[in-house]
Amino acid sequence: MIKYDPNHNSFKQSMIVVVFTGMWLEALLHQEIVFKHGVEVFKKYDFKSYREKLALLGIADTDLLDSVDSFKATRKELVHEKAFFDSGEIKVAQKEAELAHKIMESISHALGN
């Protein structure tokens, strides 16, 4: 069903999903890396990409890793919005939220959670 949403609730909820998925992913990766490899290894990986952290945890699914790269770029653009550095790409918030949710499910499944 499609209807006019003057308050942009769907858009706002989708943005919340994207932002909180990033927070969830950061927390999950921190916990999993520390648990499996220790604090010192985590410190070495702390500022590395999601792709590198997931690879350290044994995730090699290139489709998932590509999705995570795309998600990271979207999240960064949303959270660190810079009006004068527009990428020229139009994204649909609801589709990005669907991608974020799929990433959470896929990573949880891959890590056995």
Side-chain angles (χ1 to χ4, degrees), residues 19 23 33 51 57 59 64 66 68 98-99 106 109 111:
V19 171
M23 293 170 63
I33 291 171
R51 178 181 285 266
L57 294 171
I59 295 177
L64 175 56
D66 289 345
V68 169
E98 289 173 11
L99 173 66
S106 298
H109 178 72
L111 294 175

Side-chain angles (χ1 to χ4, degrees), residues 2-8:
I2 298 175
K3 70 177 194 169
Y4 178 62
D5 182 9
N7 296 321
H8 308 287

Side-chain angles (χ1 to χ4, degrees), residues 21-23 25-26 29 48-55 65 68-69 71-72 75:
T21 297
M23 293 170 63
L25 185 54
E26 287 288 340
L29 292 172
K48 292 188 184 275
S49 69
Y50 293 148
R51 178 181 285 266
E52 291 173 285
K53 290 175 182 178
L54 289 166
L65 296 173
V68 169
D69 288 343
F71 164 77
K72 182 180 184 209
R75 185 202 138 305

Side-chain angles (χ1 to χ4, degrees), residues 13-30:
Q13 293 301 314
S14 296
M15 289 179 26
I16 290 168
V17 168
V18 171
V19 171
F20 278 92
T21 297
M23 293 170 63
W24 169 85
L25 185 54
E26 287 288 340
L28 177 74
L29 292 172
H30 171 80

